[in-house]
Amino acid sequence: MLYYLFRFLEQFNIPGAHIWSYISFRAILALILSLLISAWFGEHFIKWMKRRNISETARDPNIDPFGVEKKGVPTMGGIIIIVAILVPVLLLGRMRNIYLLLMIITTVWLGFLGFMDDYIKIFKKNKDGLKGKYKIIGQVSIGFIVGITLWLSPDAVVREYCADMQQQQNPKEVVVKHKAEYVKSLQTTIPFYKNHNLNYSDIMSFCGKYKVAAGWILFVLMTIFVVTAVSNGANLNDGMDGMCAGNSAIIGVALLIFAYVSSHIIYASYFDIMYIPHTQELVVFLSAFVGAMIGFLWYNAYPAQVFMGDTGSLTIGGIIGVCAIIVHKELLLPILCGIFFIESLSVILQTQWFKIQKRKGKRVRIFRATPIHDTFRKLDSQLDATSTYILKGWPHRPFHESKITIRFWITTIILVAITIITLKIR
């Protein structure tokens, strides 16, 4: 809203009105505003929740040895995150931008889905929350909406690059140029590969003359998978104070960089990637996202004064997944969101291996506990005496959750650095 107001005032030569056209100004302002909102609103939200005794119940000590300390801590703190994202975006963003609208819809949609899950857990006293099938339906639905919109919207276009050999001075020099026309593109970036774009329509080339349509169908299915997988991964990562918020803030910085270089034709040429017009508005959104995450840590860092709940974790994962899809970097997510990936993989391996061994009459588990972060705080005295653990001796001793959280942040920083350098190392 403020963007359009000041662009209007610019016509009357109002001093300073032109500065609102600069993406850097609006992005930094969004970051600061989201930090202030999460700090101010968070304090009032926590007090309001405590007055109404809307809080976390005591956790199972077999899973969380520090769970007793967390009884009475308010949950559903994801509302703080959502408010801290949406208010700056609505004030500072260009609301006619298709990508920004998709991000707002994703935030609201998954925020509502997570809210319903938390509501059922707290007010209906059902520890399982919203049934799993309804969660999946909600995640698949938003993935479908995003994929179809990017397919059909005339505003969701790119300018693909082409590499020409510079013949005049250095015959081995490659000059990257972007084609003049805007096109609907099914290409996505492949990490560590020289000609590093994969076209979904090429995968579906066996469909003959229908390969482009089949490619778009594959793209929509990929979008659904990415949104669902990353959303669930973030949800599993939300098990320790500050864990998910810190990791997500770091990942958000990487996505912000990708969005910015993709929206700038000179940087896109330099990094040899597709130029995606209008993704600069994602920079504003992601700045608000990073600010909201850092601001939330003010209250969520150990010892937590509030938990984000599924209201926050499902929303965070969806935002990350949709942003990666929009900037055509979804194949980088296993590296970028490596922590989320490992958390999900640990649960899948643990569950499936236990089922296989149980059919043989054995009770064998791989890890001491899952998601994987629980392995590092599990005490020997809390292990199931009737089960055998393949990795029982790892780690050698349990760690306090604050140490585990910070080490996971450091791991994410390393993974983000690797993801960013994939633009040049291939």
Side-chain angles (χ1 to χ4, degrees):
M1 292 183 287
L2 291 178
Y3 169 82
Y4 293 107
L5 173 62
F6 281 95
R7 289 308 300 269
F8 172 75
L9 294 176
E10 189 178 350
Q11 303 176 39
F12 304 100
N13 297 318
I14 303 296
H18 70 284
I19 200 172
W20 290 82
S21 62
Y22 293 105
I23 195 67
S24 55
F25 173 77
R26 291 191 288 126
I28 294 173
L29 202 58
L31 176 68
I32 295 171
L33 188 56
S34 62
L35 274 167
L36 294 175
I37 290 173
S38 56
W40 174 82
F41 177 66
E43 180 180 1
H44 292 279
F45 178 82
I46 292 169
K47 290 178 179 179
W48 187 86
M49 295 286 279
K50 283 186 173 180
R51 284 198 299 268
R52 285 156 180 78
N53 199 28
I54 305 173
S55 59
E56 180 83 1
T57 57
R59 301 186 181 186
D60 186 351
N62 291 324
I63 298 175
D64 184 359
F66 306 103
V68 177
E69 304 172 11
K70 300 177 182 181
K71 184 177 181 180
V73 175
T75 187
M76 300 174 74
I79 294 173
I80 300 172
I81 296 171
I82 293 171
V83 172
I85 292 173
L86 291 182
V87 172
V89 168
L90 293 174
L91 287 175
L92 305 172
R94 295 178 59 187
M95 301 309 297
R96 296 177 184 176
N97 184 281
I98 184 63
Y99 302 129
L100 192 62
L101 290 175
L102 282 176
M103 296 313 305
I104 292 172
I105 292 170
T106 299
T107 302
V108 174
W109 187 292
L110 291 177
F112 178 74
L113 184 69
F115 174 82
M116 291 303 299
D117 186 60
D118 288 334
Y119 180 86
I120 292 172
K121 289 178 182 177
I122 296 170
F123 295 99
K124 302 298 181 181
K125 306 300 180 183
N126 185 342
K127 65 178 182 179
D128 295 325
L130 190 66
K131 290 185 178 179
K133 64 179 180 180
Y134 295 125
K135 281 188 184 180
I136 295 297
I137 290 173
Q139 292 166 328
V140 168
S141 297
I142 190 61
F144 179 78
I145 291 171
V146 171
I148 286 293
T149 301
L150 294 176
W151 179 2
L152 300 178
S153 174
D155 296 326
V157 293
V158 305
R159 282 173 63 178
E160 297 176 342
Y161 65 84
C162 57
D164 292 338
M165 300 299 292
Q166 180 61 268
Q167 300 292 341
Q168 296 179 353
Q169 299 180 8
N170 186 353
K172 294 183 179 181
E173 183 180 351
V174 177
V175 177
V176 176
K177 299 180 180 179
H178 284 88
K179 298 177 182 178
E181 70 276 9
Y182 293 98
V183 297
K184 304 289 292 184
S185 179
L186 280 169
Q187 295 194 55
T188 189
T189 300
I190 304 176
F192 303 115
Y193 186 66
K194 189 172 183 180
N195 299 315
H196 64 303
N197 274 5
L198 170 71
N199 197 314
Y200 287 109
S201 61
D202 290 342
I203 299 176
M204 307 302 290
S205 57
F206 62 87
C207 294
K209 64 180 181 179
Y210 301 107
K211 70 174 186 178
V212 175
W216 277 108
I217 293 173
L218 179 61
F219 170 78
V220 173
L221 293 175
M222 184 65 173
T223 303
I224 292 171
F225 172 76
V226 166
V227 172
T228 304
V230 181
S231 183
N232 286 327
N235 186 238
L236 290 172
N237 187 235
D238 179 34
M240 293 185 180
D241 297 351
M243 173 80 80
C244 187
N247 287 325
S248 300
I250 298 165
I251 293 169
V253 172
L255 289 171
L256 190 155
I257 293 171
F258 286 137
Y260 184 73
V261 298
S262 297
S263 69
H264 198 293
I265 193 166
I266 296 176
Y267 292 145
S269 297
Y270 176 75
F271 287 109
D272 194 12
I273 60 176
M274 286 176 285
Y275 167 54
I276 311 174
H278 313 307
T279 51
Q280 65 269 20
E281 291 305 311
L282 286 183
V283 177
V284 176
F285 183 93
L286 288 166
S287 294
F289 174 77
V290 172
M293 293 296 102
I294 297 173
F296 185 71
L297 280 173
W298 186 272
Y299 301 105
N300 186 238
Y302 184 86
Q305 297 170 256
V306 65
F307 301 131
M308 66 171 64
D310 284 11
T311 307
S313 59
L314 291 179
T315 305
I316 288 169
I319 287 172
I320 292 171
V322 173
C323 279
I325 288 286
I326 290 174
V327 297
H328 297 257
K329 299 293 182 290
E330 62 269 24
L331 297 185
L332 296 179
L333 284 175
I335 306 174
L336 179 63
C337 298
I339 289 295
F340 295 169
F341 176 72
I342 294 299
E343 295 271 41
S344 300
L345 185 62
S346 67
V347 172
I348 294 171
L349 289 174
Q350 183 89 319
T351 304
Q352 295 306 313
W353 183 257
F354 185 77
K355 288 180 179 179
I356 292 172
Q357 295 301 313
K358 192 174 182 180
R359 286 197 289 266
K360 298 178 182 179
K362 303 177 182 178
R363 294 177 60 86
V364 182
R365 306 177 194 270
I366 300 175
F367 305 102
R368 296 158 69 95
T370 55
I372 195 68
H373 62 255
D374 283 329
T375 287
F376 296 98
R377 66 178 173 186
K378 190 83 168 182
L379 304 175
D380 289 335
S381 60
Q382 296 172 326
L383 297 179
D384 183 4
T386 63
S387 297
T388 302
Y389 296 86
I390 296 176
L391 298 177
K392 183 178 181 180
W394 178 81
H396 301 299
R397 62 183 177 86
F399 297 94
H400 193 278
E401 71 171 73
S402 60
K403 182 179 286 291
I404 299 170
T405 296
I406 292 173
R407 289 186 175 180
F408 271 54
W409 290 355
I410 294 171
T411 303
T412 299
I413 291 172
I414 295 171
L415 293 173
V416 163
I418 294 172
T419 306
I420 293 173
I421 63 175
T422 60
L423 294 178
K424 296 303 293 181
I425 299 179
R426 52 180 182 264

